[in-house]
Amino acid sequence: MTRSPYRFYLLTLLLLLVSGAIIVCAFVLIVDPYGVYGIVRRDHFNAVKPGLTRYQSQIKQEHVLRLRPQFIILGNSRAEIGFDPRASAFAALGAGYNLAIPGTGLATSASQFAQLRQAGVMPRTVIVGMEFIDFLNPAVAPAVRQAPAAAAPAHGRASWRFDALFSLASIKDAVHTLRIQHDGEAATMSADGFNPLLDYGAHARLDGYHKMFAQRARESAANLGRKSTRGLATEDFQLLRTFLLAMASTQADIKLVIYPYHAQMLAMFEAAGLWPLFEEWKGQLVLAIGEVRARYPDAHISLTDFSGYGAYNCEPIPAANERSKATRWYWEAGHFKKALGDIVLRRVMSPQETAPDDWQFGMPLDDGSLEANRARIAQERSSCAAAQPGLFARQLLAEQHGHGGGRR
């Protein structure tokens, strides 16, 4: 019996396919664009990792489970961009990791912590960025209220691992990793989860900060315009209590941080009619902490408010004709820079070590300080409005609310 010639061709084709798959997997394994394998790490080859555009939660969770850090940072893009785990404020704590995921809310943070706890990872310190906008109801209630999205589990699901190793997207990311090793303006992520936002530097250089602030203001105003002014989301406070109880049960040092929103953002809160809810939200946070302390009297929970119109928050926005002028503290009203984040973290970790000229930046909140905090912000607003009346101009705010939206 003669052998079919097709058998040889099929075997050859199969061998080529298997060889190609092995080469692809080996390429992704060695370049390691997501930092999950660690087989090779070499400067000028693959040491610089690109920013995550897929499987963000799973990959960051994988990093944490391997690192087993002493402290973690949770929150949205404001935390990912502003809070560097290598800041001097953390020098005495050991290894840390920034688990913050852009575009996510408290449910993701709670889920991330639950997964770490289940895996036996118990950080001694947890910094949580508190986002006011996440606690707002939509102006038009959806037909069916959707449950908040939680972080996807890092273990127990092989699909993302396979796709991260063997897919066209992974090959592209591996090639991109090789390309950015000498690109000082590429979007990257550090080994401890921090996003230095180097790509924003390129935008600032090309477009100027005025345009960046204006674009973010239009997007934020459109987002705020879709929020209700009639009350806060009660289910989000229930989630917060559950989250705080889970952290308190591990005896972690819990540090809740109200982000240092730029004055332009706070002016938009006012224009959208959300300021009374902003004040109420802070009071509700204090109440939630009190309820958790009633169950865990020895719990270490702090809440620090960095919002306001102080010298940092009221940083001048460069004019349209000042394209070469840079800001020091903010990329735009939605995101503060690492320089300000380092000051926030220093204040949170060592509240007694504050400079005389910024001692009110970052006020600890409790039942006894809420009124003083309101007075502080009112006083700061008067000073900021006198120095920069354009931030509070009705016409400007109306123009910002009149443009189309985007994602926060």
Side-chain angles (χ1 to χ4, degrees), residues 254-293:
I254 308 163
K255 298 183 181 297
L256 307 183
V257 178
I258 297 177
Y259 293 120
Y261 301 102
H262 188 272
Q264 185 187 60
M265 179 71 75
L266 297 187
M268 285 190 285
F269 287 178
E270 293 181 20
L274 296 169
W275 194 264
L277 290 182
F278 189 42
E279 294 290 356
E280 180 185 343
W281 172 68
K282 296 176 185 179
Q284 290 293 326
L285 294 181
V286 170
L287 286 176
I289 293 172
E291 292 176 10
V292 174
R293 282 203 180 111

Side-chain angles (χ1 to χ4, degrees), residues 279-354:
E279 294 290 356
E280 180 185 343
W281 172 68
K282 296 176 185 179
Q284 290 293 326
L285 294 181
V286 170
L287 286 176
I289 293 172
E291 292 176 10
V292 174
R293 282 203 180 111
R295 183 165 174 180
Y296 291 98
D298 296 329
H300 299 281
I301 309 174
S302 66
L303 172 64
T304 311
D305 185 8
F306 290 92
S307 70
Y309 296 94
Y312 297 116
N313 314 81
C314 199
E315 180 177 26
I317 301 172
N321 61 352
E322 296 178 315
R323 288 181 56 182
S324 61
K325 186 174 182 179
T327 56
R328 183 178 181 183
W329 308 118
Y330 291 87
W331 291 108
E332 22 78 354
H335 297 95
F336 52 95
K337 295 183 177 182
K338 167 182 159 55
L340 184 57
D342 286 353
I343 295 173
V344 169
L345 294 173
R346 202 158 54 237
R347 173 71 163 141
V348 168
M349 299 305 299
S350 303
Q352 70 282 0
E353 297 178 8
T354 55

Side-chain angles (χ1 to χ4, degrees), residues 55-369:
Y55 302 124
Q56 293 171 304
S57 185
Q58 293 94 329
I59 291 172
K60 281 199 165 188
Q61 202 80 0
E62 187 79 7
H63 292 172
V64 172
L65 292 178
R66 184 172 66 241
L67 181 63
R68 305 184 78 85
Q70 294 299 306
F71 69 91
I72 58 173
I73 298 166
L74 301 171
N76 57 19
S77 61
R78 307 190 209 281
E80 186 192 49
I81 292 166
F83 296 152
D84 185 357
R86 298 184 187 182
S88 60
F90 297 127
L93 293 188
Y97 194 88
N98 188 324
L99 262 170
I101 305 290
T104 64
L106 195 64
T108 297
S109 297
S111 177
Q112 288 173 316
F113 184 82
Q115 290 175 40
L116 294 183
R117 185 181 180 186
Q118 186 177 11
V121 179
M122 302 289 187
R124 291 187 302 170
T125 302
V126 182
I127 295 94
V128 186
M130 302 304 299
E131 180 59 70
F132 165 60
I133 299 173
D134 289 342
F135 287 76
L136 296 173
N137 287 307
V140 178
V144 178
R145 176 84 177 184
Q146 295 183 347
H155 286 272
R157 292 178 58 184
S159 58
W160 80 265
R161 297 173 185 278
F162 177 80
D163 189 57
L165 176 64
F166 186 68
S167 67
L168 182 59
S170 297
I171 297 173
K172 290 181 178 179
D173 287 341
V175 172
H176 182 58
T177 301
L178 299 178
R179 288 176 175 171
I180 67 171
Q181 295 306 303
H182 301 282
D183 186 350
E185 294 181 340
T188 64
M189 188 185 77
S190 69
D192 41 25
F194 175 64
N195 178 3
L197 212 63
L198 299 177
D199 48 319
Y200 258 42
H203 293 308
R205 179 172 50 81
L206 295 173
D207 300 328
Y209 278 91
H210 180 88
K211 185 175 180 179
M212 292 170 61
F213 269 84
Q215 180 179 342
R216 178 60 63 176
R218 288 192 293 270
E219 295 174 353
S220 298
N223 183 32
L224 295 175
R226 294 189 290 267
K227 302 300 183 181
S228 172
T229 61
R230 298 185 178 180
L232 297 167
T234 56
E235 59 270 25
D236 289 325
F237 285 103
Q238 182 56 50
L239 174 62
L240 173 62
R241 293 183 187 92
T242 303
F243 182 27
L244 289 176
L245 286 170
M247 290 189 289
S249 68
T250 67
Q251 299 182 334
D253 187 4
I254 308 163
K255 298 183 181 297
L256 307 183
V257 178
I258 297 177
Y259 293 120
Y261 301 102
H262 188 272
Q264 185 187 60
M265 179 71 75
L266 297 187
M268 285 190 285
F269 287 178
E270 293 181 20
L274 296 169
W275 194 264
L277 290 182
F278 189 42
E279 294 290 356
E280 180 185 343
W281 172 68
K282 296 176 185 179
Q284 290 293 326
L285 294 181
V286 170
L287 286 176
I289 293 172
E291 292 176 10
V292 174
R293 282 203 180 111
R295 183 165 174 180
Y296 291 98
D298 296 329
H300 299 281
I301 309 174
S302 66
L303 172 64
T304 311
D305 185 8
F306 290 92
S307 70
Y309 296 94
Y312 297 116
N313 314 81
C314 199
E315 180 177 26
I317 301 172
N321 61 352
E322 296 178 315
R323 288 181 56 182
S324 61
K325 186 174 182 179
T327 56
R328 183 178 181 183
W329 308 118
Y330 291 87
W331 291 108
E332 22 78 354
H335 297 95
F336 52 95
K337 295 183 177 182
K338 167 182 159 55
L340 184 57
D342 286 353
I343 295 173
V344 169
L345 294 173
R346 202 158 54 237
R347 173 71 163 141
V348 168
M349 299 305 299
S350 303
Q352 70 282 0
E353 297 178 8
T354 55
D357 57 345
D358 68 352
W359 66 273
Q360 285 192 317
F361 181 64
M363 281 198 69
L365 291 189
D366 54 33
D367 288 328
S369 63

